[in-house]
């Protein structure tokens, strides 16, 4: 639904991504005024390289782009600002965890809806 290129407090560059539930009881409907939203940060750093690639693949980015040795902050900015990632249907792996004493949902993985993910799969759920 939304992507934004950012510089994190650590100095790393990255992209904030907002997802909106499209189907099921948490989607916008006559009974539910707003759909449930989830957010994640995609960080460009050597430590997070594998996670960056997995998340970009899940968002539908061409493998040639994120596997390029020349992949850079500018390329990530272009992806965030270009709008090409918006409207793609994906499956999210959501886990709950405590953060500063508050239980929160965390996006642990992103997969293309067209990938072999069975509906109701315990790792990738659409609600």
């Amino acid at each position: 639904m939304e992507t934004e290129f950012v510089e994190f407090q650590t100095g790393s560059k990255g992209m904030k991504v907002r997802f909106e539930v499209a189907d099921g009881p948490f989607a916008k409907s006559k009974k539910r005024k707003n759909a449930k939203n989830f957010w994640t940060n995609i960080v460009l750093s050597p430590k997070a390289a594998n996670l960056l690639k997995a998340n970009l693949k899940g968002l539908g980015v061409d493998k040639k782009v994120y596997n390029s040795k020349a992949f850079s902050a500018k390329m990530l900015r272009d992806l965030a600002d270009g709008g090409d990632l918006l409207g793609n249907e994906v499956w999210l792996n959501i886990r709950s965890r405590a953060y500063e004493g508050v239980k929160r949902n965390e996006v642990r993985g992103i997969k293309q809806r067209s990938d072999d993910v069975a509906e109701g799969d315990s790792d990738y759920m659409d609600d």
Side-chain angles (χ1 to χ4, degrees):
M1 293 304 295
E2 190 176 336
T3 55
E4 177 187 4
F5 183 79
V6 294
E7 184 171 331
F8 298 104
Q9 291 177 344
T10 61
S12 295
K13 308 253 188 299
M15 178 170 50
K16 290 185 175 218
V17 183
R18 181 176 67 87
F19 302 94
E20 182 179 283
V21 174
D23 297 322
F26 297 103
K28 186 176 180 179
S29 68
K30 289 179 183 177
K31 292 181 181 178
R32 188 175 175 93
K33 190 174 183 177
N34 296 306
K36 183 149 180 74
N37 287 267
F38 296 97
W39 291 263
T40 195
N41 296 327
I42 297 176
V43 182
L44 179 62
S45 76
K47 270 182 133 174
N50 288 336
L51 186 57
L52 170 93
K53 289 178 182 184
N55 284 330
L56 291 178
K57 177 184 178 189
L59 289 171
V61 174
D62 188 313
K63 183 178 180 178
K64 292 175 194 168
V65 173
Y66 60 79
N67 274 339
S68 167
K69 289 184 180 183
F71 190 78
S72 65
K74 182 190 180 317
M75 293 171 81
L76 190 61
R77 178 187 301 271
D78 290 347
L79 285 171
D81 294 345
D84 294 337
L85 303 177
L86 304 180
N88 293 339
E89 287 195 23
V90 297
W91 292 95
L92 297 178
N93 179 338
I94 305 291
R95 303 287 174 151
S96 292
R97 72 176 182 109
Y99 177 75
E100 296 181 353
V102 177
K103 191 174 179 182
R104 298 179 187 232
N105 292 317
E106 179 179 81
V107 175
R108 302 287 297 171
I110 306 165
K111 288 204 181 217
Q112 284 291 295
R113 184 118 187 214
S114 60
D115 287 349
D116 291 331
V117 178
E119 194 164 331
D121 186 310
S122 62
D123 287 336
Y124 289 89
M125 296 187 282
D126 63 347
D127 61 353

